[in-house]
Amino acid sequence: MLDGCIRGTKEAWNDFVDKYKNLVCHSIHTVLRSSGKELNPDFVDDLFHDIFLSLFDNDRKKLKQFRGKCSLGSWIRLISINATIDLLRKEKDIKSFDEKIADDISLGDTIEDKSINLKKDLEKSEQSELVRKAIEKMPEKDKLFIKLCWYEEMSQVGLAKFF
């Protein structure tokens, strides 16, 4: 049956799914119950399909990795358990912006509004451009003074040597 699945035979794949579907479901339920996760039928169904799809993906790459060091059922069970645990870990890392982190404060409330800073940055950039153009029109000695004072942050004592 495994060889037929690896070759892509539809009948072998159907037999494979029929043979191992209860094992996969049981493995998913066991992990979810032990983690305290609610057994949402849609979640379980999606995970069930994802596990079988992962075996079939990339030209049945995962199926080809089976080495026979344990029974095929044990290997499928291990894949199911690991997939369920991985999904639980990913879910744990995902936070909703509506999730309350304090009494009346959600995660979304703590995020800074970047549009205000963008406007200020644009205004600052426009002002800098106007100042740069004004400096270009100055005599060379004045340009040097501004460069040393402003950009090089030279002290008044150091500037007195030049002027």
Side-chain angles (χ1 to χ4, degrees):
M1 172 180 18
L2 181 61
D3 291 334
C5 286
I6 290 172
R7 285 193 310 273
T9 307
K10 186 177 181 178
E11 188 176 306
W13 180 251
N14 289 337
D15 291 343
F16 179 84
V17 171
D18 283 340
K19 183 172 181 175
Y20 294 108
K21 66 183 176 187
N22 290 334
L23 174 65
V24 170
C25 278
H26 178 73
S27 301
I28 293 170
H29 281 98
T30 301
V31 172
L32 291 178
R33 270 193 303 270
S34 69
S35 71
K37 175 85 171 158
E38 183 182 325
L39 296 177
N40 178 326
D42 291 333
F43 181 85
V44 172
D45 191 47
D46 287 346
L47 184 54
F48 173 85
H49 290 294
D50 287 346
I51 290 168
F52 278 105
L53 283 173
S54 74
L55 295 170
F56 200 73
D57 272 353
N58 298 322
D59 193 32
R60 294 161 295 283
K61 180 181 177 182
K62 199 172 269 189
L63 282 177
K64 292 175 184 177
Q65 291 174 342
F66 177 68
R67 299 288 176 240
K69 294 183 179 183
C70 61
S71 71
L72 184 56
S74 295
W75 187 71
I76 298 296
R77 182 174 183 272
L78 184 62
I79 287 173
S80 302
I81 289 170
N82 287 339
T84 306
I85 291 170
D86 287 347
L87 191 62
L88 288 173
R89 283 182 184 145
K90 285 179 188 172
E91 253 193 7
K92 193 176 188 180
D93 292 340
I94 297 171
K95 301 284 186 211
S96 169
F97 286 123
D98 298 327
E99 182 178 322
K100 298 292 180 196
I101 57 174
D103 294 332
D104 288 332
I105 300 173
S106 70
L107 185 59
D109 294 336
T110 65
I111 297 173
E112 181 183 355
D113 185 358
K114 298 284 186 186
S115 63
I116 295 169
N117 290 340
L118 291 176
K119 185 177 179 184
K120 287 180 183 176
D121 289 346
L122 183 60
E123 288 172 358
K124 209 181 267 188
S125 175
E126 289 173 351
Q127 287 173 351
S128 295
E129 182 62 21
L130 289 172
V131 169
R132 189 188 61 74
K133 286 181 179 179
I135 292 171
E136 283 179 12
K137 295 178 182 176
M138 293 179 162
E140 287 302 317
K141 189 175 180 182
D142 292 341
K143 285 183 193 178
L144 177 61
F145 176 82
I146 289 175
K147 179 182 177 190
L148 293 174
C149 183
W150 190 257
Y151 297 112
E152 301 295 329
E153 298 179 6
M154 190 174 280
S155 69
Q156 289 179 356
V157 174
L159 287 172
K161 295 178 187 174
F162 289 100
F163 299 95

Short mmCIF file of all heavy atoms in Angstrom, two decimals, residues 15-73:
data_model
loop_
_atom_site.label_atom_id
_atom_site.label_comp_id
_atom_site.label_asym_id
_atom_site.label_seq_id
_atom_site.Cartn_x
_atom_site.Cartn_y
_atom_site.Cartn_z
N ASP A 15 -6.96 3.65 0.25
CA ASP A 15 -6.80 2.58 1.24
C ASP A 15 -5.96 3.07 2.43
O ASP A 15 -6.26 2.76 3.58
CB ASP A 15 -6.13 1.35 0.61
CG ASP A 15 -7.04 0.64 -0.39
OD1 ASP A 15 -8.27 0.89 -0.36
OD2 ASP A 15 -6.50 -0.14 -1.20
N PHE A 16 -4.92 3.82 2.13
CA PHE A 16 -4.03 4.36 3.14
C PHE A 16 -4.81 5.28 4.10
O PHE A 16 -4.72 5.15 5.32
CB PHE A 16 -2.88 5.12 2.46
CG PHE A 16 -1.90 5.74 3.39
CD1 PHE A 16 -0.84 4.99 3.91
CD2 PHE A 16 -1.99 7.08 3.75
CE1 PHE A 16 0.09 5.56 4.77
CE2 PHE A 16 -1.07 7.66 4.60
CZ PHE A 16 -0.03 6.90 5.12
N VAL A 17 -5.60 6.19 3.53
CA VAL A 17 -6.39 7.12 4.33
C VAL A 17 -7.41 6.35 5.17
O VAL A 17 -7.57 6.62 6.37
CB VAL A 17 -7.07 8.19 3.45
CG1 VAL A 17 -8.06 9.03 4.26
CG2 VAL A 17 -6.04 9.09 2.79
N ASP A 18 -8.09 5.39 4.55
CA ASP A 18 -9.06 4.58 5.30
C ASP A 18 -8.42 3.83 6.46
O ASP A 18 -8.99 3.74 7.54
CB ASP A 18 -9.76 3.58 4.37
CG ASP A 18 -10.82 4.22 3.49
OD1 ASP A 18 -11.28 5.33 3.84
OD2 ASP A 18 -11.17 3.62 2.46
N LYS A 19 -7.24 3.31 6.24
CA LYS A 19 -6.56 2.53 7.26
C LYS A 19 -6.09 3.39 8.43
O LYS A 19 -6.15 2.96 9.59
CB LYS A 19 -5.37 1.78 6.66
CG LYS A 19 -4.66 0.90 7.66
CD LYS A 19 -3.62 0.02 7.02
CE LYS A 19 -2.97 -0.86 8.09
NZ LYS A 19 -2.05 -1.81 7.50
N TYR A 20 -5.60 4.61 8.16
CA TYR A 20 -4.97 5.42 9.19
C TYR A 20 -5.79 6.62 9.68
O TYR A 20 -5.35 7.34 10.58
CB TYR A 20 -3.58 5.88 8.73
CG TYR A 20 -2.64 4.72 8.58
CD1 TYR A 20 -2.25 4.27 7.33
CD2 TYR A 20 -2.16 4.05 9.71
CE1 TYR A 20 -1.40 3.18 7.21
CE2 TYR A 20 -1.32 2.96 9.60
CZ TYR A 20 -0.93 2.53 8.34
OH TYR A 20 -0.11 1.45 8.21
N LYS A 21 -6.98 6.83 9.13
CA LYS A 21 -7.76 8.01 9.53
C LYS A 21 -8.13 7.99 11.01
O LYS A 21 -8.07 9.03 11.67
CB LYS A 21 -9.00 8.17 8.64
CG LYS A 21 -10.04 7.08 8.80
CD LYS A 21 -11.18 7.29 7.83
CE LYS A 21 -12.16 6.13 7.94
NZ LYS A 21 -13.18 6.22 6.91
N ASN A 22 -8.51 6.85 11.56
CA ASN A 22 -8.87 6.79 12.97
C ASN A 22 -7.65 7.03 13.87
O ASN A 22 -7.76 7.70 14.90
CB ASN A 22 -9.51 5.44 13.32
CG ASN A 22 -10.88 5.30 12.70
OD1 ASN A 22 -11.56 6.28 12.43
ND2 ASN A 22 -11.29 4.07 12.43
N LEU A 23 -6.50 6.52 13.46
CA LEU A 23 -5.27 6.74 14.22
C LEU A 23 -4.91 8.22 14.25
O LEU A 23 -4.56 8.78 15.29
CB LEU A 23 -4.13 5.93 13.61
CG LEU A 23 -2.74 6.15 14.23
CD1 LEU A 23 -2.72 5.68 15.67
CD2 LEU A 23 -1.69 5.43 13.41
N VAL A 24 -5.01 8.89 13.10
CA VAL A 24 -4.70 10.32 13.02
C VAL A 24 -5.67 11.12 13.89
O VAL A 24 -5.25 11.98 14.67
CB VAL A 24 -4.71 10.81 11.55
CG1 VAL A 24 -4.63 12.32 11.46
CG2 VAL A 24 -3.57 10.16 10.77
N CYS A 25 -6.97 10.82 13.78
CA CYS A 25 -7.98 11.52 14.59
C CYS A 25 -7.72 11.31 16.08
O CYS A 25 -7.79 12.25 16.88
CB CYS A 25 -9.38 11.03 14.24
SG CYS A 25 -10.05 11.83 12.79
N HIS A 26 -7.44 10.07 16.46
CA HIS A 26 -7.18 9.76 17.86
C HIS A 26 -5.94 10.53 18.36
O HIS A 26 -5.95 11.08 19.48
CB HIS A 26 -6.98 8.26 18.05
CG HIS A 26 -6.66 7.87 19.45
ND1 HIS A 26 -7.60 7.90 20.47
CD2 HIS A 26 -5.49 7.49 20.02
CE1 HIS A 26 -7.02 7.54 21.60
NE2 HIS A 26 -5.74 7.28 21.35
N SER A 27 -4.91 10.60 17.56
CA SER A 27 -3.68 11.31 17.94
C SER A 27 -3.95 12.79 18.13
O SER A 27 -3.48 13.41 19.10
CB SER A 27 -2.59 11.10 16.89
OG SER A 27 -2.31 9.73 16.75
N ILE A 28 -4.71 13.38 17.22
CA ILE A 28 -5.06 14.80 17.31
C ILE A 28 -5.84 15.05 18.60
O ILE A 28 -5.53 15.96 19.37
CB ILE A 28 -5.87 15.26 16.08
CG1 ILE A 28 -5.00 15.23 14.82
CG2 ILE A 28 -6.45 16.66 16.30
CD1 ILE A 28 -5.78 15.43 13.53
N HIS A 29 -6.88 14.24 18.83
CA HIS A 29 -7.72 14.41 20.02
C HIS A 29 -6.91 14.25 21.31
O HIS A 29 -7.11 15.00 22.27
CB HIS A 29 -8.89 13.42 20.00
CG HIS A 29 -9.99 13.83 19.11
ND1 HIS A 29 -10.14 13.34 17.83
CD2 HIS A 29 -11.01 14.72 19.29
CE1 HIS A 29 -11.19 13.87 17.26
NE2 HIS A 29 -11.75 14.72 18.12
N THR A 30 -6.01 13.29 21.33
CA THR A 30 -5.20 13.04 22.53
C THR A 30 -4.35 14.26 22.87
O THR A 30 -4.30 14.70 24.03
CB THR A 30 -4.29 11.81 22.32
OG1 THR A 30 -5.11 10.68 22.05
CG2 THR A 30 -3.44 11.54 23.54
N VAL A 31 -3.69 14.83 21.87
CA VAL A 31 -2.84 16.00 22.11
C VAL A 31 -3.69 17.20 22.52
O VAL A 31 -3.34 17.92 23.46
CB VAL A 31 -1.98 16.34 20.87
CG1 VAL A 31 -1.24 17.66 21.05
CG2 VAL A 31 -1.01 15.22 20.57
N LEU A 32 -4.79 17.41 21.86
CA LEU A 32 -5.64 18.56 22.17
C LEU A 32 -6.21 18.45 23.59
O LEU A 32 -6.24 19.43 24.33
CB LEU A 32 -6.77 18.70 21.15
CG LEU A 32 -6.36 19.11 19.74
CD1 LEU A 32 -7.56 19.15 18.82
CD2 LEU A 32 -5.63 20.44 19.74
N ARG A 33 -6.65 17.26 23.97
CA ARG A 33 -7.18 17.07 25.33
C ARG A 33 -6.09 17.29 26.37
O ARG A 33 -6.32 17.93 27.39
CB ARG A 33 -7.77 15.66 25.48
CG ARG A 33 -9.24 15.59 25.13
CD ARG A 33 -9.86 14.29 25.59
NE ARG A 33 -9.21 13.13 25.04
CZ ARG A 33 -9.55 12.52 23.90
NH1 ARG A 33 -10.56 12.97 23.20
NH2 ARG A 33 -8.90 11.46 23.48
N SER A 34 -4.90 16.77 26.11
CA SER A 34 -3.82 16.92 27.10
C SER A 34 -3.34 18.36 27.21
O SER A 34 -2.78 18.76 28.22
CB SER A 34 -2.65 15.99 26.77
OG SER A 34 -2.00 16.40 25.60
N SER A 35 -3.56 19.17 26.17
CA SER A 35 -3.15 20.57 26.21
C SER A 35 -4.24 21.47 26.77
O SER A 35 -4.02 22.66 26.97
CB SER A 35 -2.76 21.06 24.82
OG SER A 35 -3.92 21.18 24.01
N GLY A 36 -5.43 20.90 26.99
CA GLY A 36 -6.54 21.68 27.50
C GLY A 36 -7.25 22.47 26.42
O GLY A 36 -8.10 23.30 26.71
N LYS A 37 -6.92 22.20 25.19
CA LYS A 37 -7.54 22.91 24.05
C LYS A 37 -8.93 22.35 23.80
O LYS A 37 -9.15 21.15 23.87
CB LYS A 37 -6.65 22.72 22.81
CG LYS A 37 -7.20 23.28 21.54
CD LYS A 37 -6.87 24.73 21.40
CE LYS A 37 -7.25 25.18 20.00
NZ LYS A 37 -7.45 26.57 19.90
N GLU A 38 -9.86 23.25 23.51
CA GLU A 38 -11.22 22.84 23.19
C GLU A 38 -11.22 22.04 21.89
O GLU A 38 -10.53 22.38 20.93
CB GLU A 38 -12.08 24.09 23.02
CG GLU A 38 -13.53 23.81 22.74
CD GLU A 38 -14.32 25.09 22.54
OE1 GLU A 38 -14.01 26.10 23.20
OE2 GLU A 38 -15.23 25.07 21.71
N LEU A 39 -11.99 20.96 21.87
CA LEU A 39 -12.03 20.10 20.67
C LEU A 39 -13.03 20.67 19.67
O LEU A 39 -14.14 20.19 19.52
CB LEU A 39 -12.40 18.66 21.06
CG LEU A 39 -11.40 17.95 21.95
CD1 LEU A 39 -11.90 16.57 22.33
CD2 LEU A 39 -10.05 17.84 21.27
N ASN A 40 -12.61 21.68 18.95
CA ASN A 40 -13.41 22.31 17.92
C ASN A 40 -13.40 21.40 16.69
O ASN A 40 -12.35 21.14 16.12
CB ASN A 40 -12.82 23.68 17.59
CG ASN A 40 -13.56 24.41 16.50
OD1 ASN A 40 -14.08 23.81 15.57
ND2 ASN A 40 -13.57 25.72 16.61
N PRO A 41 -14.58 20.91 16.25
CA PRO A 41 -14.63 19.97 15.11
C PRO A 41 -14.00 20.52 13.83
O PRO A 41 -13.35 19.79 13.09
CB PRO A 41 -16.12 19.71 14.91
CG PRO A 41 -16.76 20.09 16.19
CD PRO A 41 -15.90 21.14 16.82
N ASP A 42 -14.18 21.83 13.58
CA ASP A 42 -13.59 22.42 12.37
C ASP A 42 -12.07 22.43 12.46
O ASP A 42 -11.37 22.14 11.48
CB ASP A 42 -14.09 23.86 12.16
CG ASP A 42 -15.57 23.89 11.79
OD1 ASP A 42 -16.06 22.90 11.21
OD2 ASP A 42 -16.21 24.91 12.08
N PHE A 43 -11.55 22.76 13.63
CA PHE A 43 -10.10 22.78 13.87
C PHE A 43 -9.53 21.38 13.66
O PHE A 43 -8.53 21.20 12.98
CB PHE A 43 -9.83 23.28 15.30
CG PHE A 43 -8.38 23.35 15.66
CD1 PHE A 43 -7.63 24.46 15.33
CD2 PHE A 43 -7.76 22.31 16.33
CE1 PHE A 43 -6.29 24.55 15.67
CE2 PHE A 43 -6.42 22.38 16.68
CZ PHE A 43 -5.68 23.50 16.34
N VAL A 44 -10.18 20.38 14.26
CA VAL A 44 -9.72 18.99 14.14
C VAL A 44 -9.78 18.53 12.69
O VAL A 44 -8.84 17.91 12.18
CB VAL A 44 -10.56 18.05 15.05
CG1 VAL A 44 -10.22 16.59 14.79
CG2 VAL A 44 -10.37 18.41 16.51
N ASP A 45 -10.87 18.87 12.01
CA ASP A 45 -11.03 18.46 10.61
C ASP A 45 -9.95 19.10 9.73
O ASP A 45 -9.35 18.43 8.88
CB ASP A 45 -12.43 18.86 10.12
CG ASP A 45 -12.78 18.23 8.78
OD1 ASP A 45 -12.55 17.01 8.62
OD2 ASP A 45 -13.26 18.97 7.90
N ASP A 46 -9.68 20.38 9.93
CA ASP A 46 -8.64 21.07 9.15
C ASP A 46 -7.27 20.44 9.40
O ASP A 46 -6.50 20.20 8.47
CB ASP A 46 -8.59 22.56 9.50
CG ASP A 46 -9.75 23.34 8.93
OD1 ASP A 46 -10.47 22.81 8.06
OD2 ASP A 46 -9.96 24.49 9.38
N LEU A 47 -6.99 20.18 10.66
CA LEU A 47 -5.71 19.58 11.01
C LEU A 47 -5.59 18.17 10.42
O LEU A 47 -4.53 17.79 9.91
CB LEU A 47 -5.54 19.55 12.53
CG LEU A 47 -4.21 19.04 13.06
CD1 LEU A 47 -3.03 19.79 12.45
CD2 LEU A 47 -4.18 19.17 14.58
N PHE A 48 -6.66 17.40 10.48
CA PHE A 48 -6.69 16.06 9.91
C PHE A 48 -6.31 16.11 8.42
O PHE A 48 -5.44 15.37 7.96
CB PHE A 48 -8.09 15.47 10.09
CG PHE A 48 -8.32 14.15 9.41
CD1 PHE A 48 -7.95 12.96 10.03
CD2 PHE A 48 -8.91 14.09 8.16
CE1 PHE A 48 -8.16 11.74 9.41
CE2 PHE A 48 -9.12 12.88 7.53
CZ PHE A 48 -8.75 11.70 8.16
N HIS A 49 -6.94 17.00 7.69
CA HIS A 49 -6.65 17.13 6.25
C HIS A 49 -5.23 17.64 6.01
O HIS A 49 -4.55 17.17 5.09
CB HIS A 49 -7.69 18.03 5.57
CG HIS A 49 -9.03 17.41 5.49
ND1 HIS A 49 -9.31 16.30 4.72
CD2 HIS A 49 -10.20 17.73 6.11
CE1 HIS A 49 -10.58 15.96 4.85
NE2 HIS A 49 -11.14 16.81 5.69
N ASP A 50 -4.79 18.58 6.84
CA ASP A 50 -3.42 19.10 6.70
C ASP A 50 -2.38 18.01 6.88
O ASP A 50 -1.36 17.99 6.19
CB ASP A 50 -3.16 20.23 7.70
CG ASP A 50 -3.88 21.52 7.34
OD1 ASP A 50 -4.37 21.64 6.20
OD2 ASP A 50 -3.95 22.41 8.21
N ILE A 51 -2.62 17.11 7.82
CA ILE A 51 -1.67 16.03 8.07
C ILE A 51 -1.58 15.12 6.87
O ILE A 51 -0.48 14.79 6.40
CB ILE A 51 -2.06 15.25 9.36
CG1 ILE A 51 -1.82 16.12 10.58
CG2 ILE A 51 -1.28 13.93 9.45
CD1 ILE A 51 -2.42 15.59 11.87
N PHE A 52 -2.71 14.72 6.32
CA PHE A 52 -2.66 13.84 5.15
C PHE A 52 -2.10 14.57 3.93
O PHE A 52 -1.36 13.97 3.14
CB PHE A 52 -4.04 13.24 4.86
CG PHE A 52 -4.35 12.03 5.71
CD1 PHE A 52 -5.22 12.12 6.77
CD2 PHE A 52 -3.73 10.82 5.46
CE1 PHE A 52 -5.49 11.02 7.57
CE2 PHE A 52 -3.98 9.71 6.25
CZ PHE A 52 -4.86 9.80 7.31
N LEU A 53 -2.42 15.85 3.80
CA LEU A 53 -1.85 16.62 2.69
C LEU A 53 -0.33 16.74 2.81
O LEU A 53 0.38 16.69 1.81
CB LEU A 53 -2.47 18.01 2.62
CG LEU A 53 -3.86 18.08 2.02
CD1 LEU A 53 -4.43 19.50 2.17
CD2 LEU A 53 -3.88 17.66 0.57
N SER A 54 0.14 16.88 4.06
CA SER A 54 1.59 17.00 4.25
C SER A 54 2.31 15.72 3.81
O SER A 54 3.46 15.76 3.37
CB SER A 54 1.92 17.32 5.70
OG SER A 54 1.74 16.20 6.54
N LEU A 55 1.64 14.58 3.95
CA LEU A 55 2.24 13.32 3.51
C LEU A 55 2.30 13.25 1.99
O LEU A 55 3.19 12.62 1.41
CB LEU A 55 1.44 12.13 4.05
CG LEU A 55 1.43 11.95 5.56
CD1 LEU A 55 0.40 10.90 5.97
CD2 LEU A 55 2.81 11.56 6.05
N PHE A 56 1.35 13.89 1.35
CA PHE A 56 1.22 13.81 -0.11
C PHE A 56 1.95 14.94 -0.83
O PHE A 56 2.30 14.82 -2.00
CB PHE A 56 -0.28 13.83 -0.46
CG PHE A 56 -0.58 13.28 -1.82
CD1 PHE A 56 -0.53 11.92 -2.06
CD2 PHE A 56 -0.93 14.13 -2.85
CE1 PHE A 56 -0.81 11.41 -3.32
CE2 PHE A 56 -1.22 13.64 -4.11
CZ PHE A 56 -1.16 12.28 -4.34
N ASP A 57 2.22 16.05 -0.12
CA ASP A 57 2.85 17.22 -0.73
C ASP A 57 4.26 16.92 -1.25
O ASP A 57 4.91 15.98 -0.81
CB ASP A 57 2.98 18.35 0.30
CG ASP A 57 1.74 19.22 0.35
OD1 ASP A 57 0.85 19.05 -0.49
OD2 ASP A 57 1.67 20.07 1.26
N ASN A 58 4.70 17.82 -2.14
CA ASN A 58 6.07 17.77 -2.69
C ASN A 58 6.43 16.39 -3.22
O ASN A 58 7.46 15.81 -2.86
CB ASN A 58 7.10 18.21 -1.64
CG ASN A 58 6.89 19.64 -1.20
OD1 ASN A 58 6.55 20.49 -2.00
ND2 ASN A 58 7.07 19.88 0.08
N ASP A 59 5.54 15.89 -4.08
CA ASP A 59 5.77 14.57 -4.71
C ASP A 59 5.93 13.47 -3.66
O ASP A 59 6.82 12.64 -3.73
CB ASP A 59 7.01 14.65 -5.63
CG ASP A 59 7.12 13.45 -6.53
OD1 ASP A 59 6.08 12.88 -6.93
OD2 ASP A 59 8.27 13.06 -6.84
N ARG A 60 5.07 13.55 -2.62
CA ARG A 60 5.02 12.55 -1.54
C ARG A 60 6.35 12.41 -0.80
O ARG A 60 6.76 11.34 -0.37
CB ARG A 60 4.53 11.20 -2.09
CG ARG A 60 3.08 11.31 -2.55
CD ARG A 60 2.64 10.24 -3.48
NE ARG A 60 3.29 10.19 -4.79
CZ ARG A 60 3.04 11.00 -5.82
NH1 ARG A 60 2.16 11.95 -5.70
NH2 ARG A 60 3.65 10.86 -6.97
N LYS A 61 7.02 13.54 -0.63
CA LYS A 61 8.34 13.59 0.00
C LYS A 61 8.34 12.97 1.39
O LYS A 61 9.22 12.18 1.73
CB LYS A 61 8.82 15.05 0.08
CG LYS A 61 10.17 15.22 0.71
CD LYS A 61 10.56 16.68 0.77
CE LYS A 61 11.89 16.85 1.48
NZ LYS A 61 12.27 18.25 1.58
N LYS A 62 7.35 13.33 2.21
CA LYS A 62 7.31 12.82 3.59
C LYS A 62 7.10 11.30 3.60
O LYS A 62 7.71 10.60 4.41
CB LYS A 62 6.23 13.53 4.39
CG LYS A 62 6.42 13.41 5.89
CD LYS A 62 5.46 14.26 6.65
CE LYS A 62 6.08 15.61 6.89
NZ LYS A 62 5.33 16.45 7.80
N LEU A 63 6.24 10.81 2.73
CA LEU A 63 6.03 9.35 2.66
C LEU A 63 7.32 8.63 2.27
O LEU A 63 7.61 7.54 2.78
CB LEU A 63 4.94 9.00 1.64
CG LEU A 63 3.50 9.20 2.07
CD1 LEU A 63 2.56 8.89 0.92
CD2 LEU A 63 3.15 8.35 3.28
N LYS A 64 8.07 9.24 1.40
CA LYS A 64 9.33 8.63 0.95
C LYS A 64 10.37 8.61 2.07
O LYS A 64 11.34 7.86 2.00
CB LYS A 64 9.88 9.38 -0.26
CG LYS A 64 9.03 9.21 -1.50
CD LYS A 64 9.54 10.07 -2.65
CE LYS A 64 8.64 9.97 -3.86
NZ LYS A 64 9.08 10.85 -4.95
N GLN A 65 10.17 9.42 3.10
CA GLN A 65 11.13 9.47 4.21
C GLN A 65 10.95 8.32 5.20
O GLN A 65 11.81 8.12 6.06
CB GLN A 65 11.00 10.81 4.95
CG GLN A 65 11.46 11.99 4.14
CD GLN A 65 11.19 13.32 4.83
OE1 GLN A 65 10.38 13.41 5.75
NE2 GLN A 65 11.86 14.36 4.36
N PHE A 66 9.86 7.59 5.10
CA PHE A 66 9.63 6.47 6.01
C PHE A 66 10.70 5.40 5.76
O PHE A 66 10.91 4.96 4.65
CB PHE A 66 8.23 5.87 5.81
CG PHE A 66 7.97 4.67 6.67
CD1 PHE A 66 7.87 4.80 8.04
CD2 PHE A 66 7.84 3.42 6.09
CE1 PHE A 66 7.63 3.69 8.84
CE2 PHE A 66 7.62 2.30 6.88
CZ PHE A 66 7.50 2.43 8.26
N ARG A 67 11.40 5.01 6.84
CA ARG A 67 12.53 4.08 6.72
C ARG A 67 12.23 2.69 7.26
O ARG A 67 13.07 1.80 7.17
CB ARG A 67 13.76 4.64 7.45
CG ARG A 67 14.24 5.96 6.89
CD ARG A 67 14.90 5.76 5.53
NE ARG A 67 15.27 7.03 4.96
CZ ARG A 67 14.81 7.48 3.81
NH1 ARG A 67 13.95 6.78 3.11
NH2 ARG A 67 15.20 8.65 3.34
N GLY A 68 11.09 2.49 7.89
CA GLY A 68 10.74 1.17 8.38
C GLY A 68 11.39 0.79 9.70
O GLY A 68 11.41 -0.38 10.06
N LYS A 69 11.92 1.76 10.44
CA LYS A 69 12.54 1.46 11.73
C LYS A 69 11.48 1.25 12.81
O LYS A 69 11.80 0.84 13.91
CB LYS A 69 13.50 2.57 12.14
CG LYS A 69 14.69 2.66 11.20
CD LYS A 69 15.68 3.71 11.64
CE LYS A 69 16.86 3.72 10.66
NZ LYS A 69 17.88 4.67 11.06
N CYS A 70 10.25 1.60 12.50
CA CYS A 70 9.10 1.33 13.37
C CYS A 70 7.95 0.98 12.44
O CYS A 70 8.10 1.01 11.22
CB CYS A 70 8.77 2.55 14.23
SG CYS A 70 8.33 4.02 13.29
N SER A 71 6.81 0.67 12.99
CA SER A 71 5.67 0.36 12.12
C SER A 71 5.19 1.64 11.44
O SER A 71 5.41 2.75 11.95
CB SER A 71 4.54 -0.26 12.93
OG SER A 71 3.93 0.70 13.76
N LEU A 72 4.55 1.48 10.30
CA LEU A 72 4.03 2.63 9.57
C LEU A 72 2.99 3.36 10.44
O LEU A 72 2.95 4.59 10.46
CB LEU A 72 3.41 2.19 8.24
CG LEU A 72 2.90 3.30 7.32
CD1 LEU A 72 3.98 4.32 7.02
CD2 LEU A 72 2.33 2.71 6.04
N GLY A 73 2.19 2.63 11.19
CA GLY A 73 1.20 3.22 12.08
C GLY A 73 1.86 4.10 13.15
O GLY A 73 1.39 5.20 13.44
#
